[in-house]
Amino acid sequence: ESGEIILRSGIRRRVPLTELQGVKALSDRLCFSAGHEQVQLFLGSTAAGKWASAILAPPVGLARKFGIKNKTVVRTMGSIDDDTLKSALAEAARVSATDADLIVAYVDTPASLRATLQEAKAQLLKAVPIWMVYAKGPGHSLSESAIRALLRANGMMDTKVASVSAELTALRFSLRKSA
């Protein structure tokens, strides 16, 4: 996972990456301490090195996950209230409803999802990708499967997923390429 390591074998634990100490690859092992426990995972020399590098690398920011650069023009749709999302959008060149390179839409109900899809239709047909941002977890009126079903039925394909914040997640869709 992006924010934690999940151990499922002899040790069954979830450990946030921020709690790992002394992370290093030694030969074919990934070594670290978690709390007072010393852990060695036998992964093979290539995998151990890749895991150590990935764990030690700084986290990827939301703007980068979304593909937002300083030249990107973004169209926003829906209520963008989340501070993490606002910060990512601030890295774009500008926000424009007409000539966007990317659409970021907050949806919270099936009706808002359908309305967003209809309102963005012209740009989506021009192959502008869209990030559908919605509430995480069960108990909300809009689920990941409902979003996927509607957009796939409208010729879109989900191509990425990103955690936005503790409360929000997002799916990226692009127009399905013709065979």
Side-chain angles (χ1 to χ4, degrees):
E1 299 296 324
S2 62
E4 63 187 356
I5 190 164
I6 301 172
L7 304 173
R8 293 188 174 109
S9 189
I11 303 171
R12 298 187 62 80
R13 285 186 50 197
R14 293 173 96 95
V15 183
L17 296 181
T18 57
E19 293 180 15
L20 301 182
Q21 299 291 316
V23 176
K24 59 187 166 210
L26 293 175
S27 184
D28 61 346
R29 297 166 289 149
L30 173 65
C31 304
F32 59 87
S33 59
H36 297 293
E37 294 179 82
Q38 297 295 317
V39 178
Q40 293 185 41
L41 302 176
F42 293 85
L43 305 174
S45 59
T46 302
K50 286 181 181 179
W51 272 92
S53 295
I55 291 168
L56 294 169
V60 175
L62 184 60
R64 183 168 164 209
K65 287 180 187 179
F66 273 25
I68 297 172
K69 299 178 180 143
N70 62 356
K71 294 182 180 182
T72 306
V73 178
V74 178
R75 176 181 184 183
T76 61
M77 301 175 77
S79 180
I80 308 294
D81 295 329
D82 183 85
D83 289 338
T84 305
L85 186 53
K86 285 180 186 178
S87 179
L89 292 168
E91 294 189 35
R94 63 189 170 88
V95 174
S96 172
T98 56
D99 59 348
D101 303 308
L102 178 70
I103 302 168
V104 176
Y106 175 75
V107 292
D108 58 355
T109 64
S112 71
L113 175 62
R114 287 189 299 276
T116 297
L117 185 59
Q118 185 60 39
E119 190 177 331
K121 189 173 185 175
Q123 288 173 310
L124 296 174
L125 290 172
K126 293 179 183 176
V128 174
I130 187 167
W131 280 97
M132 292 292 184
V133 179
Y134 60 100
K136 281 183 181 178
H140 302 286
S141 64
L142 191 59
S143 68
E144 178 179 325
S145 60
I147 295 170
R148 279 196 167 110
L150 182 63
L151 273 82
R152 286 179 177 175
N154 282 275
M156 305 294 288
M157 182 53 62
D158 47 312
T159 57
K160 288 186 180 180
V161 63
S163 176
V164 174
S165 64
E167 296 81 26
L168 300 175
T169 191
L171 290 170
R172 181 183 186 267
F173 290 85
S174 296
L175 188 63
R176 189 177 290 130
K177 299 199 186 314
S178 300

